[in-house]
Amino acid sequence: MSSDYLKKIYYSSKDKINLIGLDYEQLVDSLSFFGEKKYRANQIMSWLYQKNVYDIDCMSNISLSFRQKLKEFFFINLPLVKSMMKSKDGTIKWIIDVGSKQSIESVFIPELDRGTLCVSSQAGCALDCAFCSTGSQGFNRNLKSSEILGQVLLAKSLIGKEKKITNIVFMGMGEPLANYKNILPVTKLLVDDRAFGLSRRKVTISTSGIVPQIKKLSKDCNVALAVSLHSANNSVRDKIVPINKIHPIEELLEACWLYADSTTSRQITFEYVMLDGVNDSKKEAKSLVKLLQNRPAKINLIPFNSFPGTRFRCSEKKVINQFYSELRSAGIIATIRKTRGDDIDAACGQLSGEVNDLISRRLSNRPFRQDRYSSR
Ligand code: SAH
Ligand code: SF4
């Protein structure tokens, strides 16, 4: 029997394959190469994700001869933690080495009733949102499935037995839907009972709005979706979320409502970063209400987190509260996100790791930043 997956990956690269991050179908497909039955995939997943055993030789219910065969084609490797920082509010940030002198970041946010892990999907980000520290670093590469899932495994082993990861959000560095091929097996493993067994509502993909991939995800693995809207007007959104020029608000929302329809009673979360004088007026709030009223939507207002070199400022607390009240009085479900871990630069949009930018853009020479909002 032959295996398409193994053939494609192994024979094209001649490298061994990391077992971490292969979803059930990929694993079954790969193992069929050896004429092995499906239950072998269950056994391997149980060792990796339930028993946290990362050595093929220690998988004791697998015969010695099959372990030898496995080792010819596969290996197990987790990324290395370079350093760890702990905020005074309990938030933990790990800086993780992904080779070539580059690093990415993941963040664990403990709360009374849950523990949220925020993972990165790319080294940098090419989408260049104006208010984002990751975007300002440029882009190097997509993270592999093993590097994305590796963040979960590392965090699980480092947070200590008394804490638990109950929620995973793809809100670290990078645009997850621009790395669709590698995030898909990870999301499948997170909701797979043979691996992590999280509920689909507890795994959230956050996207700045890559419409074709939103549609694909609704069919492939419809976990919770968060969309970085940040303005209800195309003219403003074009300037702060450049992908809007390719997929404007109307197109994005159409995909969102389709996504919500494809799941039972699921709401889309719209993220809205509060930028002083940019998107925080009463008029903007009213436009937002018009767009989202009577839709399966909730809004998460995010106070802007500053980073060196940015020209944006966070809206005043009073303004954020007024914006919030405007939404609530129109019957829209809204929350104001509590800033966590900002003393260790672990808050939303502050993650930057170390990225060798291949696009060679810098804060100062990005054309559409030059004149933006300088009148404020
Ligand atoms: N690329 C994805 C996910 C990573 S960013 C996305 O854009 O959705 C996670 C969230 O942090 C997004 O909502 C993003 O808009 C927000 N964000 C980025 N920079 C920020 C900053 N400086 N302050 C507050 N939120 C920020
Ligand atoms: Fe990329 Fe998201 Fe930052 Fe935009 S906000 S640059 S999509 S990481």
Side-chain angles (χ1 to χ4, degrees), residues 57-115:
D57 280 326
C58 294
M59 299 183 171
S60 54
N61 56 359
I62 295 176
S63 71
L64 184 63
S65 61
F66 182 44
R67 274 186 261 148
Q68 298 300 358
K69 270 196 254 170
L70 268 180
K71 285 195 291 181
E72 268 178 50
F73 289 91
F74 299 96
F75 69 106
I76 299 173
N77 190 34
L78 292 178
L80 284 175
V81 175
K82 247 170 100 172
S83 60
M84 177 189 131
M85 287 175 225
K86 198 161 179 182
S87 154
K88 55 183 188 302
D89 68 18
T91 299
I92 307 173
K93 175 167 97 167
W94 294 280
I95 299 181
I96 295 168
D97 188 345
V98 289
S100 311
K101 297 204 176 96
Q102 296 191 100
S103 52
I104 50 110
E105 302 183 358
S106 22
V107 178
F108 177 68
I109 306 146
E111 283 168 281
L112 281 180
D113 54 343
R114 63 180 157 179

Side-chain angles (χ1 to χ4, degrees), residues 133-147:
S133 172
T134 306
S136 76
Q137 287 243 306
F139 173 73
N140 186 274
R141 69 171 174 89
N142 284 329
L143 296 182
K144 300 174 204 153
S145 300
S146 57
E147 291 168 326

Side-chain angles (χ1 to χ4, degrees), residues 81 84-86 90-94 106-110 114-118 151-168:
V81 175
M84 177 189 131
M85 287 175 225
K86 198 161 179 182
T91 299
I92 307 173
K93 175 167 97 167
W94 294 280
S106 22
V107 178
F108 177 68
I109 306 146
R114 63 180 157 179
T116 304
L117 183 71
C118 177
Q151 296 170 58
V152 182
L153 297 174
L154 285 175
K156 207 171 142 191
S157 70
L158 295 170
I159 52 176
K161 286 217 161 51
E162 67 289 355
K163 294 197 196 90
K164 218 175 156 223
I165 299 171
T166 59
N167 297 57
I168 308 248

Side-chain angles (χ1 to χ4, degrees), residues 265-305:
S265 65
R266 190 79 63 72
Q267 271 176 334
I268 309 288
T269 301
F270 290 93
E271 295 159 289
Y272 198 101
V273 63
M274 297 300 296
L275 302 170
D276 179 32
V278 177
N279 63 355
D280 60 353
S281 66
K282 194 170 173 175
K283 202 166 152 225
E284 275 270 0
K286 284 192 183 302
S287 310
L288 196 55
V289 167
K290 232 168 130 187
L291 274 190
L292 302 185
Q293 212 164 28
N294 302 321
R295 294 290 194 174
K298 58 181 176 197
I299 301 177
N300 196 198
L301 300 176
I302 315 175
F304 169 67
N305 294 307

Side-chain angles (χ1 to χ4, degrees), residues 131-132 170-172 174-176 206-208 228 230 271 273 302-305 307 348-349:
F131 49 81
C132 173
F170 286 69
M171 293 185 186
E175 167 52 50
S206 176
T207 178
S208 57
S228 297
H230 306 317
E271 295 159 289
V273 63
I302 315 175
F304 169 67
N305 294 307
F307 56 91
C348 266

